[in-house]
Amino acid sequence: MAAGRRGGHRSPWEAVLYDPARAEGAFLLGLAAARLGRVEAAIRWFRRAVRLQPGWADVWATLADACRRAGRWKEAAAAFAMVLALSPADGAALVNLAVLERAAGHPRVAVRRLRRALALDPRQAGTWNNLGNALRDLGATVQAAAAWRTALVLDPGQADALGNLGGARRDQDRFAEARVLLRRALALAPQHAALHGVLAYALSGEGRLEEAERACRRALALAPALADPLCTLGLTVQRRGGADALRWFDRAAAASPGHPLARFNRGLADLESGALAEGWANYSCRFAAGRAGRERRFSIPEWRGEPLAGKRLFIWREQGVGDEFLFASCYADAIRQAGGVVIECEPRLLPLFARSFPKAIVRAEQPLRGRALVETVDCDLHIPAGSLPRYLRGGLADFPPRSSWLFPDPVRVLERRQQLDGIGGDLRVGIAWRSQLMTVERQWAYLPLGDWGPVLGVPGVTFVNLQYDDCEAEIQRAEARFGVPIYELERLDLKNDFEGTAALTANLDLVIAPANSVAELAGALGVPVWRFGARDWTHLGGVVRPWYPSMRVFHPRAGEPLSAALGRIAAELRRAAALARRAGAEAPGPRLPARPARRVHPQAPSLRRH
């Protein structure tokens, strides 16, 4: 280097190039400032350059990149938009602008720009990955997965696409597939803390709790304030019986104060312990945390507990049928307070809910396809069903003493009674043993029918099937193994005909089931129900579930398998059957004198044994 250069002097041609009055000079001074890490100074020089030469697309692109690095998202987006105005076929500008628009909450616009970029050059793996991200934001999960797979075909070493595809498999509860994909991604990017966190969640879903905990701790070693693995670690510790799960939820909330999953998990823990005010407040994060259906937007405000006199309230469904039965326990209170109530329900529940809430207008939920982004309903206020308890069940004293809130069709109840009369012993017991949503993560909460030997072996009991999926082969095996019949109603669709199922359930003396919609329906009808499984947040700090006065709960004790709870149910059932036999022997006439003699309605399905 010449002495003059070392002394800070420039040659004549350099002086011209670095002249701030010239666009080229301002641009070079901006580049120099950027190399020195002076981003704000660089932005000022780049702005001078485009003022001097507004049509210079490369400078607009450099300005946009500098604004993005400085966190000035709107200015970056405006600069990239100028690049596209000057050069519409600039694929890099299209992709960068799409990323910014997605971050600003405009995924539809991002998808359009990314598709334009791919029309220019379909071989860009990174663009396909970004397209998958934007499609996922729109809920188009199938198309998103296809975009990530295309990225991997173009570049098998695309760690982000592998991680995204693994995360999608995790969200679908396909945990084993997710684990394979995520381990491939981590082999390419072993220092990627967030990927370790996603892997931890997948491992937890598989029940590989020790591996999940190790993956969480690896993620936190790389990024101690990462909220997702802190949440997963809390859940893993909780499932392993640890006492300090709340500490991890609190750390997640402290690391990211608005983190929805941290708040949601903390809310469930508070509800389970009986801290209802705090619990309900954090339970409201369930949509943002991905633990409920899609949150919906309306042209009317959400009800926040203010007086409802003279107001029309729209209550919309958000979760599964079992949750719908539970939250429906609040509907009568809302109806008493409001000037009018419109209730949305799962279409299969429409007749049952319309009969049970005659003072409300009951509508079937419309398909997601075709719904407006902002919905309009003829009401003053709206609320998701799961938010009603926050304002109507602030304490255990707010749970009403009523025994039921759903009422079956009396004509169908009589038909079912006529079918059941004359069969079996002194106690009629409906049984179900699993949920419709049987993920690997949830399997620990259920027992197959083959493990029900202690219950099915109780003498003097007539068992009636209430399991609503394809279970005929299981029932046949259980009948052969335990030597006891399990009755079914022919042509009764237990999955879709809730009117028929409710009428059948109302005629039973008892229902035994785990955490599924069968138990929730029985409790909502006021039928005695014995629910077995681990404690959950719906106990609200008590030894029973206060929603259901007719329900008893049987929990495995610390260190016991779930079968131990079923064993205690068998012992209780044996005592109940003995009492029923004594009562039947002492009472004159038939066991149920109010019921007519057995007569099958000509149009009604008949009972059958397997």
Side-chain angles (χ1 to χ4, degrees), residues 161-385:
L162 279 167
N164 286 326
L165 194 55
R169 294 290 184 265
R170 176 207 63 182
D171 293 341
Q172 296 167 339
D173 293 335
R174 295 162 64 175
F175 297 117
E177 294 175 47
R179 168 172 46 84
V180 173
L181 289 164
L182 291 164
R183 289 202 188 282
R184 281 178 57 195
L186 284 165
L188 296 165
Q191 302 303 306
H192 199 311
L195 281 179
H196 284 284
V198 179
L199 173 63
Y201 191 95
L203 291 167
S204 174
E206 278 193 282
R208 302 163 75 133
L209 300 183
E210 291 184 13
E211 293 179 66
E213 185 168 337
R214 286 198 298 270
C216 283
R217 295 189 184 279
R218 175 61 176 157
L220 295 171
L222 293 165
L226 206 55
D228 281 348
L230 284 166
C231 287
T232 303
L233 184 55
L235 292 171
T236 302
V237 169
Q238 192 175 52
R239 284 185 60 186
R240 296 185 70 187
D244 60 344
L246 295 185
R247 175 168 69 94
W248 298 108
F249 298 147
D250 289 340
R251 274 189 58 184
S256 179
H259 194 273
L261 187 57
R263 288 189 58 195
F264 174 77
N265 286 331
R266 178 72 215 207
L268 292 191
D270 285 333
L271 290 172
E272 190 169 341
S273 68
L276 301 193
E278 299 88 344
W280 290 131
N282 285 322
Y283 185 69
S284 65
C285 297
R286 61 195 178 278
F287 295 105
R291 294 300 183 267
R294 292 184 72 180
E295 190 167 17
R296 292 157 65 179
R297 295 171 60 194
F298 293 87
S299 58
I300 54 177
E302 183 173 340
W303 182 47
R304 303 290 185 181
E306 65 270 26
L308 284 170
K311 302 287 187 180
R312 281 170 58 85
L313 178 66
F314 178 59
I315 303 171
W316 49 278
R317 74 179 299 267
E318 56 171 277
Q319 299 184 45
V321 169
D323 297 297
E324 201 162 354
F325 293 144
L326 181 140
F327 296 134
S329 64
C330 298
Y331 290 178
D333 301 85
I335 291 168
R336 277 195 297 272
Q337 292 187 28
V341 171
V342 178
I343 296 170
E344 178 189 79
C345 68
E346 210 274 358
R348 295 172 295 173
L349 302 180
L350 184 60
L352 180 60
F353 273 40
R355 182 185 312 103
S356 301
F357 305 108
K359 294 183 179 179
I361 297 172
V362 181
R363 300 176 180 172
E365 180 186 25
Q366 298 304 303
L368 181 61
R369 184 180 296 275
R371 278 188 200 162
L373 187 62
V374 178
E375 299 179 55
T376 301
V377 291
D378 52 342
C379 290
D380 303 296
L381 300 162
H382 78 91
I383 190 169

Side-chain angles (χ1 to χ4, degrees), residues 368-455:
L368 181 61
R369 184 180 296 275
R371 278 188 200 162
L373 187 62
V374 178
E375 299 179 55
T376 301
V377 291
D378 52 342
C379 290
D380 303 296
L381 300 162
H382 78 91
I383 190 169
S387 293
L388 284 171
R390 182 176 184 180
Y391 307 111
L392 300 175
R393 301 291 184 265
L396 295 181
D398 295 326
F399 284 82
R402 60 173 173 264
S403 60
S404 63
W405 53 93
L406 296 183
F407 303 96
D409 180 353
V411 174
R412 298 190 72 172
V413 169
L414 180 60
E415 291 175 356
R416 297 293 176 255
R417 181 178 300 174
Q418 292 167 344
Q419 290 174 279
L420 289 169
D421 278 345
I423 66 160
D426 298 294
L427 203 64
R428 293 172 185 156
V429 177
I431 59 171
W433 52 93
R434 62 168 169 263
S435 170
Q436 181 175 346
L437 181 60
M438 284 296 293
T439 65
V440 176
E441 189 176 19
R442 301 187 73 200
Q443 284 182 358
W444 60 272
Y446 304 96
L447 289 172
L449 188 59
D451 291 351
W452 281 56
V455 171

Side-chain angles (χ1 to χ4, degrees), residues 534-607:
R535 290 177 56 84
D536 60 36
W537 69 269
T538 61
H539 290 72
L540 304 180
V543 295
V544 299
R545 298 176 79 212
W547 318 81
Y548 299 104
S550 68
M551 181 178 288
R552 284 183 66 184
V553 290
F554 292 79
H555 306 304
R557 301 186 180 106
E560 286 185 338
L562 185 57
S563 57
L566 205 58
R568 283 191 285 278
I569 284 179
E572 288 293 309
L573 184 61
R574 194 173 295 272
R575 283 191 284 272
L579 288 172
R581 281 197 300 275
R582 285 200 295 271
E586 293 169 1
R591 179 174 68 89
L592 295 172
R595 294 174 175 172
R598 183 173 184 269
R599 179 172 60 85
V600 178
H601 190 280
Q603 302 301 318
S606 60
L607 278 165

Side-chain angles (χ1 to χ4, degrees), residues 16-269:
V16 172
L17 285 178
Y18 279 88
D19 181 358
R22 296 168 58 93
E24 295 88 345
F27 177 52
L28 290 173
L29 287 167
L31 292 177
R35 290 193 188 100
L36 293 171
R38 298 167 56 194
V39 179
E40 292 299 328
I43 290 173
R44 288 195 297 272
W45 287 118
F46 294 144
R47 286 204 179 281
R48 177 176 291 189
V50 295
R51 280 198 300 271
L52 293 166
Q53 192 170 332
W56 194 354
D58 287 345
V59 182
W60 279 109
T62 310
L63 172 61
D65 192 54
C67 289
R68 182 178 58 185
R69 290 200 304 274
R72 295 160 68 164
W73 312 116
K74 288 185 179 179
E75 295 173 58
F80 278 126
M82 278 300 300
V83 175
L84 288 173
L86 295 167
S87 180
D90 191 317
L94 282 165
V95 172
N96 282 312
L97 189 53
V99 170
L100 290 171
E101 285 166 335
R102 176 175 168 254
H106 307 299
R108 292 185 189 279
V109 180
V111 167
R112 286 199 296 270
R113 295 202 187 278
L114 290 164
R115 292 199 188 280
R116 278 181 58 194
L118 288 168
L120 295 169
D121 185 357
R123 298 165 298 174
Q124 294 298 318
T127 306
W128 282 103
N129 180 59
N130 283 318
L131 176 62
N133 294 340
L135 288 166
R136 176 183 56 198
D137 293 345
L138 290 172
T141 54
V142 175
Q143 297 95 316
W148 291 322
R149 286 195 296 269
T150 302
L152 290 170
V153 169
L154 293 167
D155 179 9
Q158 174 70 237
D160 285 344
L162 279 167
N164 286 326
L165 194 55
R169 294 290 184 265
R170 176 207 63 182
D171 293 341
Q172 296 167 339
D173 293 335
R174 295 162 64 175
F175 297 117
E177 294 175 47
R179 168 172 46 84
V180 173
L181 289 164
L182 291 164
R183 289 202 188 282
R184 281 178 57 195
L186 284 165
L188 296 165
Q191 302 303 306
H192 199 311
L195 281 179
H196 284 284
V198 179
L199 173 63
Y201 191 95
L203 291 167
S204 174
E206 278 193 282
R208 302 163 75 133
L209 300 183
E210 291 184 13
E211 293 179 66
E213 185 168 337
R214 286 198 298 270
C216 283
R217 295 189 184 279
R218 175 61 176 157
L220 295 171
L222 293 165
L226 206 55
D228 281 348
L230 284 166
C231 287
T232 303
L233 184 55
L235 292 171
T236 302
V237 169
Q238 192 175 52
R239 284 185 60 186
R240 296 185 70 187
D244 60 344
L246 295 185
R247 175 168 69 94
W248 298 108
F249 298 147
D250 289 340
R251 274 189 58 184
S256 179
H259 194 273
L261 187 57
R263 288 189 58 195
F264 174 77
N265 286 331
R266 178 72 215 207
L268 292 191

Side-chain angles (χ1 to χ4, degrees), residues 480-540:
R481 179 177 177 184
F482 303 117
V484 60
I486 298 173
Y487 290 90
E488 284 193 292
L489 288 179
E490 288 184 339
R491 298 190 300 280
L492 172 59
D493 184 349
L494 291 165
K495 181 177 180 180
N496 296 304
D497 183 2
F498 275 99
E499 283 281 78
T501 302
L504 172 60
T505 303
N507 276 290
L508 299 174
D509 300 305
L510 174 68
V511 170
I512 301 173
N516 66 5
S517 61
V518 171
E520 307 297 282
L521 175 60
L525 293 167
V527 174
V529 52
W530 293 353
R531 181 184 189 258
F532 65 92
R535 290 177 56 84
D536 60 36
W537 69 269
T538 61
H539 290 72
L540 304 180

